[in-house]
Amino acid sequence: MPLPTFDPADYPIQLATKVAHFEQNFAPFGVANTAVHASTPLHYRMRAEFRIWHEGDDLNYAMFDPADPKQPITLETFPPAAESICALMPRLRDKLRGNESLRRRLFQADFLATLSGEMLVTLIYHRQLDEAWETAAREMAAELGIGLIGRSRGQKIVVDRGWVLEGFELNGRQLRYKQVEGSFTQPNGGVNRQMLGWACQQAAGFGGNLVELYCGNGNFTIALSPLFERVLATEVSKSSVHAAQYNLAANHIENVALVRMSSEEFSDALAGREEFQRLKDIDLDPFRHATLFVDPPRSGLDGVTLELARSFDRILYISCNQETLRDNVAALQDTHQIAASAVFDQFPYTHHLECGLLLTRR
């Protein structure tokens, strides 16, 4: 598949094609009136990764076309990236070009931006980093007003801090999120706000309690928690759990119990098949008839978690893979039906389409 082109004039047709495919894919399950949440056609990505291509003493950002993987495509800018990333790219490149310690054997540059204006850059090298690198890196980071991390094999040097603090308004609340370098965060900040808004709209009026699996850094947890009496959220990634704990405190959320465990482990616990020390202080009974929220990896829900989902009257399901979502919906057809659907175009100009479903008991 060749590299995509980024022409805003083509975007409406491309999005319409993806929406039509989704509706056709889920037509057997009665999907209708799908809410479509478009992206801005340019400057939507809050994360970007570029190879660094060296030619003598010069260097440039580069990408590679899968159809011709040995030929670099050098870049002056990258239209899908956030405007702050595009503005930083030439300034950072010029600084790197002018400093041997920063330039030598630099392999890759990763950018993490926020809607709130913070920026973290990770520079990845094929050599060990020394004091000269750190001195130059601290000077450059201060001049550019960015956070900076240097990485090489077995080595990580953090200049200032290894995370950014995202902040934006949602439904009259100002939300804040710690986003850690190397951990998953939603790539399209604007569409993420739309996803959070849709999820809150669906959950409004549910009341009761919420069980959330795969909570990550608390992206949905923070948004949804005021709509429920109590929330029990689980996540297996240690760095994401630490970020979620920070975010709960930063947003003054006090009705969430956060547990580091997999969805399979939680399924076994709720079904009474196994006991876990991590849950010793949590009464699971109030959560047996709660609303379930899931945002799983591309593989979707495994068989054990699907059986758990059957016990909930309402399931809010966000998916980054509509094929595994379709399989999961088919597996739940005897107990649940689709009550609402939405699509969120996190990745314009690609075939990917984020999906959202509200499933209710038949």
Side-chain angles (χ1 to χ4, degrees):
M1 181 178 178
L3 289 174
T5 57
F6 307 101
D7 186 347
D10 296 335
Y11 179 61
I13 295 175
Q14 291 177 349
L15 176 57
T17 300
K18 290 198 283 189
V19 173
H21 174 73
F22 169 82
E23 292 184 331
Q24 181 180 11
N25 208 13
F26 285 83
F29 307 113
V31 157
N33 301 317
T34 298
V36 178
H37 298 267
S39 173
T40 56
L42 295 176
H43 303 304
Y44 48 85
R45 283 192 63 93
M46 311 310 292
R47 301 198 312 258
E49 302 176 359
F50 304 103
R51 285 281 300 277
I52 299 297
W53 189 255
H54 296 261
E55 291 181 309
D57 291 335
D58 197 10
L59 61 79
N60 287 286
Y61 303 105
M63 298 181 71
F64 292 83
D65 191 333
D68 189 9
K70 294 184 178 181
Q71 181 61 41
I73 302 171
T74 57
L75 306 168
E76 290 293 324
T77 188
F78 187 59
E83 290 183 343
S84 58
I85 294 177
C86 291
L88 177 61
M89 286 175 65
R91 298 176 63 212
L92 177 67
R93 181 198 59 202
D94 292 346
K95 293 289 186 183
L96 295 171
R97 282 173 172 173
N99 189 292
E100 172 64 18
S101 293
L102 297 173
R103 181 182 70 230
R104 183 163 59 89
R105 304 205 68 184
L106 175 61
F107 173 73
Q108 183 169 312
D110 299 348
F111 297 77
L112 174 60
T114 67
L115 296 172
S116 58
E118 295 197 2
M119 179 76 71
L120 178 63
V121 175
T122 301
L123 301 177
I124 304 173
Y125 290 82
H126 282 327
R127 67 175 177 92
Q128 287 293 292
L129 305 178
D130 53 21
E131 289 185 10
W133 179 90
E134 185 168 357
T135 298
R138 290 188 180 279
E139 181 179 332
M140 180 178 71
E143 291 178 359
L144 296 176
I146 62 174
L148 189 63
I149 295 175
R151 284 187 175 273
S152 65
R153 179 170 300 202
Q155 189 180 26
K156 176 182 177 182
I157 299 177
V158 179
V159 177
D160 189 22
R161 67 186 191 192
W163 50 275
V164 291
L165 188 61
E166 175 64 287
F168 54 81
E169 184 274 334
L170 181 75
N171 297 332
R173 300 167 60 209
Q174 188 67 27
L175 306 187
R176 296 193 293 169
Y177 293 92
K178 181 181 185 179
Q179 298 183 342
V180 180
E181 182 256 359
S183 296
F184 175 78
T185 55
Q186 296 291 340
N188 189 321
V191 171
N192 180 51
R193 287 180 64 190
Q194 295 183 62
M195 287 201 307
L196 296 177
W198 181 83
C200 289
Q201 182 183 33
Q202 302 310 308
F206 285 175
N209 299 321
L210 176 70
V211 170
E212 180 182 3
L213 307 181
Y214 321 95
C215 76
N217 71 346
N219 183 49
F220 285 95
T221 320
I222 303 301
L224 289 169
S225 57
L227 302 175
F228 295 90
E229 295 175 18
R230 285 187 288 175
V231 179
L232 177 54
T234 70
E235 169 58 45
V236 71
S237 165
K238 184 182 293 186
S239 62
S240 292
V241 167
H242 289 164
Q245 291 169 333
Y246 178 100
N247 294 335
L248 290 170
N251 289 277
H252 310 291
I253 303 296
E254 298 180 348
N255 66 333
V256 175
L258 176 63
V259 182
R260 185 178 175 227
M261 63 191 327
S262 69
S263 61
E264 295 94 332
E265 289 174 324
F266 181 75
S267 299
D268 288 339
L270 200 63
R273 292 187 292 267
E274 192 169 352
E275 294 184 358
F276 294 88
Q277 188 70 11
R278 286 162 282 176
L279 294 170
K280 65 180 179 63
D281 297 324
I282 299 176
D283 181 7
L284 293 180
D285 283 340
F287 295 100
R288 297 183 190 280
H289 302 287
T291 296
L292 177 65
F293 180 88
V294 293
D295 182 10
R298 291 189 60 79
S299 56
L301 302 181
D302 60 88
V304 173
T305 308
L306 274 172
E307 284 305 309
L308 170 70
R310 290 178 183 276
S311 65
F312 291 86
D313 289 339
R314 294 179 295 263
I315 306 167
L316 262 174
Y317 195 139
I318 299 291
S319 172
C320 60
N321 184 347
Q322 62 177 288
E323 300 309 319
T324 55
L325 174 62
R326 190 182 190 282
D327 292 343
N328 287 169
V329 170
L332 293 168
Q333 269 295 284
D334 58 333
T335 56
H336 290 76
Q337 61 187 348
I338 296 175
S341 61
V343 293
F344 311 93
D345 197 19
Q346 287 260 18
F347 299 98
Y349 313 104
T350 75
H351 68 278
H352 295 290
L353 190 64
E354 204 94 356
C355 313
L357 294 178
L358 171 61
L359 302 168
T360 56
R361 185 171 299 282
R362 291 186 180 277

